[in-house]
Amino acid sequence: MHESYRATSLLKHNGQIECISSYNDNLLVGTRQGHLLMYNIVNTADDKLDIQLMRYNKTFSKKPILQLEVIPEYNILISLTDNIVQVHNISAFNFPIIEVLSKTKGATLFIVDVVQGVSTKSYNICIVVKRKLQLYFWDSMKQTFTKLHDDINLIEVPKTIGWCQGTVCVGYKGEYICYELNGKPKPLFPTSSNRTTDPCIVKYSETTFALLREDQTVLVNDQGDAEITKLIKWSDVPISIIWDKPYFLAVLADSIDVQTFDDGLIQTIGDLPKVRFICKSKQGLLYTASISQVWVLQAVDIPTQRKALLENKQFKLALKLTAIYDETKEEKTEIINHIQTLLAYDLFSKKRFRESMKEFIKLRTNPSDVIRLFPDLLPNQIENNESSFTEREWEDGIQALVEYLTDVRLQYHVQEQEKDKKAENKNANMNDQADKANQQFLQIIDTTLLKCYIRTNDALVAPLLRSNHCHLAEAEKTLKKYNKDNELIILYETKNQHRRALELLQSKGNVEKTVKYLQRLGTKHIGLILEFADWVLSGFPEEALKIFTDDLSEVENLPRPRVLDYLLRSHPNLVIPYLEYVVHTWADSNPLFHNALIHKYRETSMSSDPGARIAKKKLLEFLVTSKYYKPDVVLVHFPAESLLDERAIILGKIGQHEQVLVIYVRAMGDVDKAVNYCNTLYDNKVPGCENVYVSLIKLLLDPNSLTSDLSDVTLSPKTAQPDVDTALQLLETYAFRVNSLNCLNILPDNLPISRISRFLQIALHESIKERRRMQLLKGLLYAEHLQCRELRLRLESQSTLITNLNICPVCKKRFSNQSALVRYTNGDVVHYSCQDRKM
């Protein structure tokens, strides 16, 4: 058993000891006879105790001294005797009374609460007076205790009390209750199941009490909430308990047990017959007493304790002792690090993997050293004995390692973000070296995580690989070992090993994934896309065309001319659907694609392909609707003897209207189509559209006048002869649209005037109407001109006098001789620079 304290018999007393208290090197003993003794105790050179009786006051009280407490900073002693609390001067020989707290008549118990401030301490006292609690604070200026709070009413007289800041915990015979100074009481729990155990309350921290419940000690915070994970079980029901960090000491019948919450029983200090009282002088120095004997408990020095604890692998307790030991910060840090390392490895050896990993996190241990504890996770690793783990232990260990690596990874990224903010002006070479080290660090972590996931939860492999720093060769080896083809493809993609990924997909014949993979590659890898698209396009053209036609930014930004060239050479049957997507879905206005689509439509419509009829329909529609093809470029590919409708549309696009009319009238014999063409030009206000009607009438009157370009076309017999009637009918119908003089010039000289009288009337009426419109417009413009002159004269006649007394209404400053001014229509004048600010 660990030795934390050594007990030494200090003195035997002939009277009956009722209470003890201590401060510094002094021990106070109060007796049932009312005597007060003060001893001074010092360590001698040979490590023995020298005890001297400094004072002995036999007349301190006529009644038993029930309780003593010293406040050394103010040289005062607080005593409870004869059911009243008194304050004494401890520096004077016979402890003279400074103050009697008269309102405490009937007191049975008190507790002093020490509140540690930034640089000073303050002292409060809570006194049980019958069924009330009285609260005071020590006023150092007035050297007296002053009432702190109204009395708190109790349900009965308590056995013990504790005070933490704004909460007083009261232990009755049967239960514990917390009383907030500014709130309602909160019942906690019974002191025991049969109400036979006396309560005991110890202040554990500034916000926590340690309460005794039968043979157990539990922690309760100042809000009344128990910490169920903190529990000490004693070998017997304690008489009293005291806290000497990091130990709890419980007074039993003839011994004292030493325990902590985490380490269980540490030591049993025996040979203490009928021990009853215990008090603390300072850290590591306590006194305990029976009714006739006093012992001193001295903590074994911490280095000695620590050495023994490490030998017994009690690392947590060693850490607690190191935390309170007075040594330099550097020494303490080094020792703590050493102990935590031993603890972490010991926990691992005991298969307490999660606890072990938590310690490694605190230590910031190199992850490689932690990973090396597990077999077959690092490359070229000397194999550990994997059989030392059961299957269950192996799974638990890997799960704990995963949590550890995930935490390390997260901490690393947080630290790197902070470093990036501070390292903007650092040397670039240093940053390069740091980047290499960081990359290696992340490689180890991610590669190990991959190996852990694949053996425990392979559903996490793919998410890890989508953003990973895995070592390519190790990760590839692992994935191949477990036949994880899908995950291997993700690895190749994230490592820019696209060829290897695509080769694997091709070997598996996976069309859908190949298409999606190629879609994501983007312009940078266009060569690779075209290379591996070939086998998919050959076998599954409709699905594979999505490589070049899909609603994805990478697909849309591919170099379309290069894709078109590839399809024209290797997969001509897919050119039309590709161009239709480019032109109609992406609305690409590049003439290259519009011209190419027209050529493909033309070729298909002239072939024996089953879709020739549909292609011809699309060609006609596209020639009319597209604004971006080059008519003069595509025209040379259209044969003169066929596709006359299409040729006419193209000629119309380049303004060769007469040739269009010749095709409609002479080649196709369709005068109505020629008339519609003229009407369309007129409705769209095409320049010179009135002369197109004249050309049509001229062609009807002389069918051979405009046929020089149709030498290879078989002309229609329907329009081979002059058609004067149709020409005159058109002349009358569209008389208001044509140039009258030009029409008269093409009419035959022998045509009777009576046949064109209607045309002449309409033409004359239109001419007169136009003349009147022009006259009216001229008059209106002249009237407007006169109005403007009148307005200008009126405005020029206005004037504003500016003197030194005038002030700008915006900036409130006077106008100087050099000021540029602005005058508003309402008469306001402001500086030129102030005009924008005027509301």
Side-chain angles (χ1 to χ4, degrees):
M1 185 173 287
H2 177 67
E3 185 181 37
S4 53
Y5 294 91
R6 294 191 180 113
T8 304
S9 178
L10 194 62
L11 61 92
K12 292 185 178 180
H13 193 269
N14 294 327
Q16 186 172 346
I17 299 173
E18 194 69 29
C19 67
I20 59 173
S21 182
S22 64
Y23 71 99
N24 299 334
D25 296 325
N26 301 307
L27 172 67
L28 296 171
V29 177
T31 69
R32 177 163 290 188
Q33 295 79 16
H35 302 171
L36 179 60
L37 298 87
M38 180 176 178
Y39 297 93
N40 181 251
I41 303 154
V42 294
N43 284 315
T44 61
D46 55 356
D47 203 24
K48 293 183 178 180
L49 295 175
D50 180 21
I51 180 168
Q52 295 182 5
L53 180 62
M54 305 298 292
R55 299 181 218 167
Y56 185 8
N57 188 345
K58 292 185 177 181
T59 59
F60 186 82
S61 173
K62 295 179 180 180
K63 296 291 181 70
I65 303 172
L66 300 178
Q67 196 173 349
L68 296 169
E69 193 71 45
V70 178
I71 302 179
E73 284 86 348
Y74 300 107
N75 291 316
I76 60 173
L77 168 66
I78 306 169
S79 69
L80 172 59
T81 180
D82 198 15
N83 296 112
I84 194 166
V85 175
Q86 302 174 120
V87 183
H88 308 262
N89 183 349
I90 201 169
S91 60
F93 181 76
N94 282 326
F95 312 104
I97 296 174
I98 299 173
E99 178 182 13
V100 176
L101 300 181
S102 57
K103 293 185 179 181
T104 64
K105 188 63 177 175
T108 55
L109 180 67
F110 72 84
I111 184 78
V112 175
D113 181 47
V114 183
V115 181
Q116 180 66 57
V118 177
S119 57
T120 60
K121 294 179 181 178
S122 61
Y123 293 88
N124 303 325
I125 184 171
C126 177
I127 305 171
V128 177
V129 182
K130 297 180 181 178
R131 287 168 40 176
K132 290 182 181 291
L133 291 180
Q134 295 182 5
L135 291 89
Y136 300 83
F137 75 95
W138 176 255
D139 189 334
S140 59
M141 299 294 293
K142 298 179 179 179
Q143 291 290 298
T144 184
F145 276 106
T146 303
K147 209 62 177 307
L148 176 67
H149 193 274
D150 293 339
D151 292 353
I152 298 174
N153 294 317
L154 306 177
I155 57 176
E156 60 180 273
V157 179
K159 294 288 185 178
T160 184
I161 55 174
W163 191 356
C164 288
Q165 297 184 357
T167 302
V168 177
C169 185
V170 176
Y172 296 109
K173 180 64 177 177
E175 66 175 330
Y176 292 103
I177 295 180
C178 274
Y179 292 87
E180 293 185 7
L181 301 188
N182 298 311
K184 296 180 180 179
K186 181 176 182 179
L188 301 180
F189 48 78
T191 58
S192 65
S193 58
N194 53 16
R195 294 183 174 235
T196 58
T197 304
D198 286 339
C200 180
I201 301 174
V202 176
K203 182 178 178 181
Y204 180 71
S205 71
E206 293 302 320
T207 58
T208 315
F209 302 102
L211 307 182
L212 179 65
R213 187 174 190 272
E214 294 185 340
D215 60 349
Q216 296 179 346
T217 295
V218 296
L219 286 187
V220 176
N221 64 25
D222 57 1
Q223 302 300 312
D225 301 318
E227 298 184 32
I228 58 175
T229 58
K230 298 292 187 181
L231 179 70
I232 292 178
K233 186 172 179 60
W234 304 101
S235 60
D236 196 358
V237 178
I239 299 169
S240 179
I241 297 174
I242 199 165
W243 166 243
D244 184 36
K245 190 175 184 179
Y247 300 115
F248 275 102
L249 291 87
V251 177
L252 305 177
D254 294 303
S255 64
I256 292 178
D257 277 0
V258 182
Q259 290 204 49
T260 71
F261 280 118
D262 302 313
D263 307 283
L265 180 63
I266 304 298
Q267 181 184 10
T268 296
I269 306 171
D271 197 21
L272 302 173
K274 298 182 180 180
V275 63
R276 289 181 56 195
F277 312 108
I278 190 167
C279 70
K280 179 178 175 181
S281 178
K282 59 185 177 181
Q283 180 71 42
L285 180 62
L286 302 94
Y287 296 95
T288 186
S290 65
I291 60 174
S292 61
Q293 188 172 355
V294 179
W295 297 268
V296 62
L297 300 181
Q298 290 180 296
V300 177
D301 66 282
I302 287 178
T304 302
Q305 285 196 65
R306 187 163 56 200
K307 182 179 178 182
L309 290 169
L310 294 182
E311 289 175 353
N312 294 320
K313 296 186 177 182
Q314 293 179 274
F315 304 109
K316 290 186 177 180
L317 184 53
L319 286 171
K320 292 175 184 175
L321 289 171
T322 303
I324 64 173
Y325 188 49
D326 186 17
E327 51 198 337
T328 65
K329 184 178 180 181
E330 291 76 14
E331 290 175 335
K332 182 171 291 190
T333 301
E334 183 179 351
I335 292 172
I336 289 175
N337 188 74
H338 172 67
I339 298 173
Q340 283 183 319
T341 302
L342 294 175
L343 171 62
Y345 283 102
D346 182 64
L347 289 169
F348 187 88
S349 68
K350 294 175 180 176
K351 309 298 190 296
R352 294 162 63 181
F353 301 111
R354 279 183 169 78
E355 295 175 65
S356 175
M357 296 303 144
K358 287 179 181 178
E359 295 302 322
F360 284 128
I361 285 283
K362 295 176 187 175
L363 288 164
R364 299 181 180 272
T365 305
N366 188 324
S368 298
D369 294 335
V370 179
I371 297 167
R372 197 170 282 111
L373 296 171
F374 296 84
D376 198 28
L377 290 181
L378 287 177
N380 304 320
Q381 180 177 350
I382 300 175
E383 291 296 321
N384 292 329
N385 185 12
E386 188 171 353
S387 62
S388 63
F389 293 99
T390 64
E391 183 178 350
R392 179 65 180 175
E393 288 171 347
W394 174 253
E395 290 180 2
D396 291 344
I398 291 298
Q399 288 294 340
L401 180 62
V402 166
E403 293 172 12
Y404 163 76
L405 292 174
T406 304
D407 285 345
V408 170
R409 199 174 192 253
L410 178 61
Q411 288 181 6
Y412 168 80
H413 286 301
V414 171
Q415 291 169 4
E416 286 304 302
Q417 289 175 357
E418 294 175 354
K419 286 181 183 178
D420 289 342
K421 295 177 182 178
K422 299 176 182 178
E424 294 178 356
N425 300 322
K426 286 189 177 180
N427 186 285
N429 292 331
M430 293 177 63
N431 287 338
D432 290 342
Q433 292 173 2
D435 288 343
K436 291 178 181 177
N438 294 342
Q439 182 63 28
Q440 187 177 15
F441 175 84
L442 289 172
Q443 270 188 357
I444 293 172
I445 291 178
D446 283 11
T447 307
T448 305
L449 277 173
L450 171 65
K451 292 179 179 180
C452 293
Y453 287 157
I454 210 167
R455 298 171 72 171
T456 58
N457 188 357
D458 59 1
L460 298 174
V461 173
L464 171 69
L465 290 173
R466 290 191 179 96
S467 176
N468 78 89
H469 298 83
C470 292
H471 186 276
L472 176 60
E474 276 295 307
E476 181 184 37
K477 176 183 174 183
T478 302
L479 293 170
K480 284 183 176 179
K481 178 180 177 181
Y482 290 91
N483 298 317
K484 296 294 183 181
D485 291 336
N486 292 335
E487 290 79 2
L488 187 56
I489 289 167
I490 297 173
L491 173 69
Y492 285 147
E493 183 176 9
T494 57
K495 298 298 183 182
N496 292 320
Q497 300 294 313
H498 303 301
R499 179 174 293 279
R500 295 165 76 174
L502 290 167
E503 287 172 349
L504 179 58
L505 286 170
Q506 186 174 358
S507 69
K508 300 295 180 182
N510 197 319
V511 174
E512 182 181 357
K513 289 187 177 180
T514 300
V515 170
K516 290 182 177 179
Y517 195 103
L518 292 173
Q519 286 178 330
R520 295 193 298 267
L521 286 180
T523 303
K524 182 179 178 181
H525 302 284
I526 184 61
L528 205 60
I529 294 173
L530 299 180
E531 178 183 348
F532 283 90
D534 192 68
W535 75 270
V536 193
L537 288 167
S538 298
F540 309 90
E542 292 184 5
E543 181 69 19
L545 189 60
K546 292 180 181 179
I547 297 169
F548 308 111
T549 58
D550 209 345
D551 188 20
L552 296 169
S553 60
E554 295 90 346
V555 174
E556 192 170 350
N557 292 325
L558 290 175
R560 297 171 192 173
R562 187 168 176 182
V563 174
L564 175 60
D565 180 66
Y566 165 75
L567 293 176
L568 285 168
R569 287 186 288 103
S570 304
H571 302 279
N573 58 315
L574 296 176
V575 172
I576 287 179
Y578 173 70
L579 288 172
E580 287 177 340
Y581 198 91
V582 170
V583 169
H584 299 311
T585 303
W586 285 336
D588 196 316
S589 60
N590 189 335
L592 171 67
F593 305 118
H594 290 253
N595 291 353
L597 185 55
I598 290 171
H599 289 317
K600 292 303 292 183
Y601 281 152
R602 174 183 55 78
E603 289 177 1
T604 306
S605 65
M606 295 177 67
S607 69
S608 58
D609 192 283
R613 194 159 141 270
I614 296 175
K616 182 174 176 63
K617 181 180 178 182
K618 288 182 177 181
L619 175 60
L620 278 169
E621 183 180 351
F622 190 67
L623 287 171
V624 173
T625 57
S626 174
K627 300 178 182 178
Y628 302 110
Y629 68 89
K630 299 292 185 182
D632 51 342
V633 174
V634 300
L635 180 62
V636 297
H637 297 285
F638 277 76
E641 71 281 0
S642 62
L643 299 178
L644 296 178
D645 269 327
E646 293 80 356
R647 189 175 182 85
I649 293 171
I650 298 171
L651 288 169
K653 291 280 187 177
I654 58 178
Q656 296 187 15
H657 306 303
E658 289 185 349
Q659 292 299 314
V660 176
L661 295 175
V662 170
I663 290 173
Y664 287 147
V665 176
R666 294 295 290 114
M668 300 174 65
D670 193 338
V671 177
D672 290 340
K673 188 171 285 190
V675 173
N676 289 336
Y677 179 74
C678 294
N679 291 337
T680 300
L681 294 178
Y682 186 86
D683 293 340
N684 292 328
K685 296 182 174 56
V686 176
C689 58
E690 65 276 4
N691 292 324
V692 181
Y693 287 101
V694 176
S695 299
L696 175 57
I697 294 170
K698 180 180 179 181
L699 187 60
L700 291 173
L701 293 173
D702 184 4
N704 298 317
S705 59
L706 301 171
T707 58
S708 58
D709 291 336
L710 296 178
S711 55
D712 297 330
V713 181
T714 301
L715 300 179
S716 172
K718 291 194 298 184
T719 56
Q721 301 300 321
D723 189 351
V724 177
D725 291 338
T726 302
L728 292 179
Q729 182 182 354
L730 290 174
L731 192 63
E732 288 185 8
T733 304
Y734 300 105
F736 59 91
R737 293 187 176 186
V738 301
N739 188 305
S740 303
L741 292 177
N742 291 343
C743 286
L744 291 173
N745 288 334
I746 63 172
L747 292 176
D749 294 338
N750 58 353
L751 191 66
I753 193 73
S754 60
R755 297 199 62 180
I756 61 172
S757 60
R758 175 65 179 162
F759 162 69
L760 292 174
Q761 290 175 2
I762 294 173
L764 182 60
H765 176 74
E766 287 295 321
S767 178
I768 293 171
K769 184 171 72 172
E770 180 64 17
R771 181 181 178 187
R772 287 176 177 171
R773 190 181 72 81
M774 296 301 293
Q775 288 175 339
L776 178 61
L777 180 61
K778 179 181 177 181
L780 291 172
L781 289 173
Y782 183 69
E784 185 179 11
H785 170 68
L786 293 178
Q787 288 176 353
C788 289
R789 285 187 62 188
E790 181 182 358
L791 178 60
R792 180 174 64 83
L793 291 172
R794 186 168 68 251
L795 293 174
E796 288 178 348
S797 66
Q798 296 177 4
S799 63
T800 301
L801 179 62
I802 302 298
T803 68
N804 289 336
L805 300 178
N806 291 96
I807 296 175
C808 174
V810 177
C811 66
K812 310 303 180 184
K813 296 180 180 178
R814 299 184 185 278
F815 298 111
S816 63
N817 293 334
Q818 293 78 23
S819 296
L821 308 177
V822 173
R823 180 184 182 277
Y824 290 90
T825 54
N826 62 356
D828 288 348
V829 178
V830 300
H831 289 107
Y832 182 81
S833 59
C834 296
Q835 61 175 321
D836 293 335
R837 290 181 286 158
K838 188 176 187 303
M839 300 298 292

